Amino acid sequence: MPKPFASSADTSPKSETLEVLADGVYALTSEGDPNVGAVEGEDFLVCFDARATPASARDWLDALREHTDKPVKYLVLSHYHAVRALGASAFEASEVVMHVDTLGLVRERGEQDWASEFARMPRLFKEPESIPGLTWPTLCFDGTMSISLGGDRGDLVLGHAGRGHTRGDAYLWLPDRKILFAGDLVESEAALYTGDAYHREWLGTLENLELLEAEVLVGGRGAVVHGRENVTAAITQTRGFLLGLTGAVASVHEAGGDIRDAFDAAHRELEPTYGKWPIFEHCLPFDVQRFWDELDGVEHPEIWTPERDREVWALLQDRG
């Protein structure tokens, strides 16, 4: 029997959990679906990531409104992927913020990514007709950007720790509370999608995140992580996935094997630890293809389209 393409067969609803991490700091998790968050300023909100459609984003905002009615001043997008960005219009934010490299990716491949992710993960696209178009920033940053939250709430810092999941990943850091929203740079017991990654640089980016010494971590997927040791463990799990993937694929590449051999080697290496985690089987063909391309000297990820997705899936994951 052929394997269902990517997450196209994942149609069951997920249970959502809104967690209050500290006074005025919120995270919404949903059993391995993309996480989102929000931070209260004195008279405004900063929201982190937008979900795939305005209809889905409104579900998150409805839950958030049970805790605060402050308007959204800033919507921060961790990166350009459709499931993080296309619901932005629901927030009616004064400013849509992203790293300058993410703006470049929206220009270069936003339309193709939208089509690709819709085909791969249709369940996440609630009422896709509610999407007005690509999400464009009103404000970009390079390096770091600070937002004063007002009163005694301190500052919120947006940063770019280096290339990793994409070349423009942004994180949100609350230094006074030691709370880190890492986007898809770190996952908590969820497989990594690395189809747009810079694998070896990602390892250094993780080291930069560790230097923050966070005590609460909201990764891109999975449960919120509490406690310094557990934050370190989540980063270590993410690093372990990258090391297992790159080690297995590189060994086959160096030995003169082909990409199908590399996929099989990566699957053998990673499945015992990561195989039961969300989206493992979905991600792995695209992960292997991207790192194989890197080993072939392709610095920047090739653009994923629905057609290319299907070709890679058929070659690596669904071989009859």
Side-chain angles (χ1 to χ4, degrees):
M1 290 291 292
K3 291 185 177 181
F5 172 64
S7 292
S8 61
D10 179 8
T11 59
S12 60
K14 308 300 181 185
S15 176
E16 297 183 346
T17 301
L18 192 155
E19 188 170 342
V20 181
L21 308 181
D23 180 30
V25 184
Y26 310 95
L28 188 76
T29 63
S30 50
E31 296 187 292
D33 280 356
N35 295 334
V36 290
V39 179
E40 288 189 51
E42 190 169 20
D43 56 3
F44 63 89
L45 283 170
V46 180
C47 288
F48 190 74
D49 278 337
R51 295 188 140 184
T53 69
S56 181
R58 281 191 286 271
D59 291 341
W60 151 229
L61 288 168
D62 287 345
L64 183 60
R65 290 310 180 202
E66 296 180 10
H67 296 268
T68 175
D69 61 0
K70 295 174 183 176
V72 180
K73 184 174 182 180
Y74 299 95
L75 171 62
V76 180
L77 300 179
S78 63
H79 58 287
Y80 80 100
H81 284 152
V83 296
R84 302 289 181 179
L86 294 184
S89 63
F91 293 80
E92 299 181 343
S94 302
E95 302 284 0
V96 176
V97 187
M98 60 179 65
H99 188 266
V100 64
D101 286 341
T102 293
L103 171 58
L105 290 166
V106 174
R107 288 173 174 156
E108 178 185 85
R109 57 187 67 196
E111 290 282 356
Q112 297 95 322
D113 180 74
W114 179 353
S116 169
E117 295 201 35
F118 182 54
R120 292 190 198 181
M121 297 173 281
R123 180 180 53 79
L124 297 182
F125 287 79
K126 179 182 178 181
E127 299 178 24
E129 67 278 4
S130 66
I131 302 170
L134 293 175
T135 298
W136 298 98
T138 62
L139 185 62
C140 289
F141 73 95
D142 192 5
T144 61
M145 170 182 165
S146 293
I147 297 172
S148 174
L149 296 174
D152 60 356
R153 294 176 180 270
D155 288 343
L156 177 155
V157 178
L158 304 178
H160 178 255
R163 299 195 297 192
H165 176 69
T166 72
R167 72 173 183 255
D169 299 290
Y171 65 83
L172 186 157
W173 172 234
L174 296 169
D176 294 345
R177 305 183 190 189
K178 297 290 185 180
I179 298 174
L180 174 63
F181 290 82
D184 281 324
L185 286 170
V186 183
E187 309 289 11
S188 176
E189 298 192 357
L192 303 189
Y193 175 69
T194 72
D196 293 304
Y198 298 79
H199 288 82
R200 287 166 172 159
E201 291 182 49
W202 196 339
L203 295 169
T205 298
L206 291 175
E207 292 180 3
N208 292 334
L209 292 178
E210 282 185 300
L211 294 175
L212 297 174
E213 300 184 347
E215 295 176 5
V216 179
L217 169 71
V218 183
R221 295 174 184 260
V224 176
V225 179
H226 296 269
R228 178 79 178 280
E229 290 185 2
N230 292 327
V231 171
T232 298
I235 294 174
T236 299
Q237 290 168 0
T238 300
R239 181 183 293 112
F241 189 102
L242 289 169
L243 290 172
L245 172 70
T246 57
V249 174
S251 292
V252 173
H253 193 275
E254 291 165 6
D258 66 24
I259 192 171
R260 289 171 295 184
D261 298 329
F263 176 83
D264 292 340
H267 199 283
R268 287 193 301 271
E269 174 67 25
L270 295 171
E271 196 277 335
T273 299
Y274 303 97
K276 302 301 182 185
W277 289 6
I279 66 172
F280 174 78
E281 296 291 350
H282 170 162
C283 291
L284 194 60
F286 310 113
D287 297 353
V288 170
Q289 181 67 64
R290 168 56 187 153
F291 189 58
W292 189 266
D293 289 346
E294 282 189 280
L295 293 171
D296 281 343
V298 180
E299 179 184 0
H300 300 298
E302 292 190 30
I303 295 173
W304 292 101
T305 64
E307 296 76 20
R308 184 172 182 240
D309 291 350
R310 293 280 184 174
E311 290 171 2
V312 170
W313 185 265
L315 177 67
L316 300 182
Q317 184 67 284
D318 182 15
R319 293 184 238 169

